[in-house]
């Protein structure tokens, strides 16, 4: 393998701003938690119509059920919103590394909307940096997600939610 250490990579002056802009361009939304704001209140404000909310995170009190208590993953169908955590984000494409922290990884894709809690200090510039971080842990499963699921046909008709959530919000704290 060639020595890649001499290659200059992209460095964004404001990774948080770039991440938010790129996520918006991908159809998602970045919301920075403000001092004094409570995470459950922000979730309820952003998703007022969500009735069936899944989360196994103890701080998410607005959750209506714990997805880890569901035996059959097909029972996750009809989940309005899932609240999960991301390990780190990537400024260049607004991807978030989501290691499997739930019983059924299908939760990440079957929910109509997804809120990803992310530490805003855990942003890297490029996917090259991101891949280096994934080698430091032994993940049984992980996925990079950038915005909601979308697909387009030859007539350029864009459809959201074809293979995953219709809405994705990254809540930066």
């Amino acid at each position: 393998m060639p020595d890649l250490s001499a290659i200059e990579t992209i460095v964004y002056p404001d990774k948080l701003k770039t991440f938010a802009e790129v996520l918006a361009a991908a159809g998602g939304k970045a919301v920075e938690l403000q001092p004094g704001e409570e995470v459950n209140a922000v979730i309820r404000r952003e998703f007022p119509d969500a009735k069936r909310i899944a989360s196994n995170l103890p701080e998410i009190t607005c959750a209506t059920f714990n997805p880890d208590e569901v035996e059959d993953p097909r029972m996750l169908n009809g989940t309005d919103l899932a609240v999960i955590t991301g390990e780190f984000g990537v400024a260049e494409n607004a991807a978030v590394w989501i290691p499997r922290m739930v019983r059924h990884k299908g939760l990440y894709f079957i929910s109509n909307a997804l809120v990803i809690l992310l530490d805003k200090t855990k942003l890297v510039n490029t996917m090259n940096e991101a891949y280096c971080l994934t080698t430091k842990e032994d993940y049984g499963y992980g996925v990079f997600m950038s915005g909601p699921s979308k697909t387009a046909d030859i007539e350029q008709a864009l459809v959201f939610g074809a293979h995953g959530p219709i809405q994705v919000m990254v809540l930066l704290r």
Side-chain angles (χ1 to χ4, degrees):
M1 294 288 292
D3 178 19
L4 300 178
S5 62
I7 296 175
E8 288 188 35
T9 61
I10 297 169
V11 176
Y12 295 99
D14 187 342
K15 290 183 282 197
L16 185 59
K17 180 179 181 228
T18 300
F19 179 89
E21 289 171 353
V22 174
L23 183 58
K29 182 176 184 179
V31 174
E32 189 174 357
L33 198 62
Q34 299 302 310
E37 271 190 312
E38 202 271 325
V39 66
N40 290 285
V42 173
I43 292 168
R44 275 302 189 194
R45 180 186 73 221
E46 295 290 327
F47 298 92
D49 298 328
K51 303 280 186 266
R52 193 160 186 247
I53 302 172
S55 186
N56 64 0
L57 304 172
E59 71 266 28
I60 304 305
T61 57
C62 65
T64 60
F65 75 101
N66 182 336
D68 292 345
E69 295 173 358
V70 174
E71 291 293 325
D72 185 344
R74 293 175 292 188
M75 299 307 292
L76 296 170
N77 192 22
T79 301
D80 295 318
L81 176 66
V83 183
I84 63 170
T85 58
E87 198 72 21
F88 56 85
V90 185
E92 78 175 338
N93 61 1
V96 178
W97 174 246
I98 304 169
R100 184 176 182 176
M101 295 184 185
V102 294
R103 182 176 187 183
H104 305 292
K105 61 188 174 206
L107 178 69
Y108 302 147
F109 309 100
I110 201 165
S111 302
N112 290 329
L114 192 62
V115 170
I116 306 169
L117 304 179
L118 183 64
D119 181 340
K120 65 183 173 186
T121 66
K122 293 189 175 181
L123 293 174
V124 297
N125 291 292
T126 66
M127 283 301 289
N128 188 45
E129 290 176 66
Y131 281 126
C132 291
L133 291 175
T134 63
T135 62
K136 294 180 180 178
E137 298 288 332
D138 183 21
Y139 298 104
Y141 174 84
V143 63
F144 280 104
M145 187 175 290
S146 180
S149 167
K150 53 200 158 298
T151 188
D153 62 15
I154 196 164
E155 295 175 355
Q156 299 179 1
L158 183 63
V159 176
F160 284 89
H163 307 288
I166 296 169
Q167 294 177 280
V168 171
M169 182 180 85
V170 178
L171 187 52
L172 299 148
R173 48 187 184 163

